[in-house]
Amino acid sequence: MLDLNHGSGATYGAQRHATAVVEAVNAAIDAALLTRHRTEPPRRYVSTSGLGRPCLRQIQFDTLNVPKDEGRDFEPATLRIFEAGHRGEDVVADWIRAAGFDLRTHRSDGRQFGFSALDGRFRGHIDGCLVAGPVGIAYPALWENKALGAASWKDVVKRGVVLSKPVYAAQIALYQAYLELPHPALFTALNRDTWELHAELVPFDAALAQRMSDRAVTVVRANDHQELLPRAARERSSVVCRGGRAGDHWHPSCAWIDRCWRLAP
């Protein structure tokens, strides 16, 4: 009988060598992710993706590509999560098409559908648009997808995206307004841990879209006049600055907290 394991290199008990390999491979991947992130061209416009955040100054810093505080840039673990989100979007799009929906995600030239306003200084790119399908919803409908961790996903399932993730709700409302897609949007959320899929319809909130559009104008005008916008918090210890849960919402820590609190209120 052949001993197919003999000489294969899969030696039991070689844990030390295996650990070294794991560390080396992950270190190489992390270095590549960081290099790719740092060489990406900076975004020089107000994006819909973060306009719903509570602090106008944070949005302004992000738009102006103000250097983040030392040690507060994205870590490899976060970049991996971003990558998983992008890949998850492609997977969900494939599932939706396989189910019989006519989902459009890119133009004929390969670019994403989106909009540009304020001379290109306010932009957004949608995940896709549903033109037809086997489910009785109003078409055409905006499609927006997010890949979430288990706890965050469960909260969206329990309370709905509008209450659970107001930043996403703002993004959806802006897309519906600027791309003239007033029918309820289909929002899908992929659980990164279990690959379960949540879906819900999000009615168009014109008032929310107007408030967010006004915020974009405020940021662009302040940048043009070199005016520093006010911060949302009165104290550095606020969860908006340091991160944490306030009420029903989780706030990530601000990447400019040190710089911000050295400046005027």
Side-chain angles (χ1 to χ4, degrees), residues 5 42 48 56 63 75 77 112-114 142 191 227 241 260:
N5 291 317
T48 56
L56 281 172
T63 302
E75 295 294 326
Q112 281 184 291
F113 292 104
L142 172 75
N191 186 323
E227 296 174 353
C241 300
C260 177

Side-chain angles (χ1 to χ4, degrees), residues 140 176 180-185 203-204:
Q176 289 170 301
E180 299 181 0
L181 294 169
H183 293 147
F204 176 43

Side-chain angles (χ1 to χ4, degrees), residues 97-126:
R97 291 191 177 103
F101 288 91
D102 184 352
L103 172 63
R104 315 288 177 86
T105 55
H106 294 82
R107 301 177 186 272
S108 58
D109 59 6
R111 294 183 302 163
Q112 281 184 291
F113 292 104
F115 74 89
S116 177
L118 303 177
D119 296 324
R121 288 176 292 176
F122 176 38
R123 305 181 199 174
H125 299 89
I126 67 173

Side-chain angles (χ1 to χ4, degrees), residues 43-64:
R43 185 174 60 197
R44 302 190 181 280
Y45 57 87
V46 179
S47 172
T48 56
S49 61
L51 199 53
R53 290 176 292 185
C55 185
L56 281 172
R57 184 177 294 186
Q58 186 187 74
I59 297 170
Q60 183 180 33
F61 282 171
D62 195 9
T63 302
L64 293 174

Side-chain angles (χ1 to χ4, degrees), residues 26-147:
N26 278 284
I29 291 174
D30 288 349
L33 290 173
L34 286 172
T35 298
R36 185 173 67 181
H37 170 66
R38 290 166 180 166
T39 55
E40 289 177 348
R43 185 174 60 197
R44 302 190 181 280
Y45 57 87
V46 179
S47 172
T48 56
S49 61
L51 199 53
R53 290 176 292 185
C55 185
L56 281 172
R57 184 177 294 186
Q58 186 187 74
I59 297 170
Q60 183 180 33
F61 282 171
D62 195 9
T63 302
L64 293 174
N65 297 296
V66 173
K68 296 176 181 178
D69 295 343
E70 182 69 27
R72 295 188 186 274
D73 204 351
F74 293 130
E75 295 294 326
T78 303
L79 296 176
R80 288 172 185 255
I81 291 173
F82 290 163
E83 186 80 11
H86 294 316
R87 304 295 183 185
E89 179 185 318
D90 294 337
V91 170
V92 175
D94 287 343
W95 290 349
I96 289 174
R97 291 191 177 103
F101 288 91
D102 184 352
L103 172 63
R104 315 288 177 86
T105 55
H106 294 82
R107 301 177 186 272
S108 58
D109 59 6
R111 294 183 302 163
Q112 281 184 291
F113 292 104
F115 74 89
S116 177
L118 303 177
D119 296 324
R121 288 176 292 176
F122 176 38
R123 305 181 199 174
H125 299 89
I126 67 173
D127 290 339
C129 179
L130 294 161
V131 178
V135 177
I137 64 177
Y139 300 96
L142 172 75
W143 172 61
E144 183 68 15
N145 181 77
K146 300 295 182 184

Side-chain angles (χ1 to χ4, degrees), residues 52 127 142-148 152-173 176 184-190 198-205 208 248-250:
D127 290 339
L142 172 75
W143 172 61
E144 183 68 15
N145 181 77
K146 300 295 182 184
L148 306 172
S152 187
W153 184 84
K154 289 177 181 178
D155 190 64
V156 169
V157 172
K158 178 181 179 180
R159 299 196 292 142
V161 65
V162 173
L163 292 178
S164 178
K165 304 293 180 187
V167 173
Y168 298 164
Q171 191 176 3
I172 290 169
Q176 289 170 301
L186 180 67
F187 173 77
T188 53
L190 179 68
H198 167 71
E200 64 179 277
L201 291 175
V202 184
F204 176 43
D205 187 337
L208 175 59
D248 293 328
H249 301 299
W250 172 264

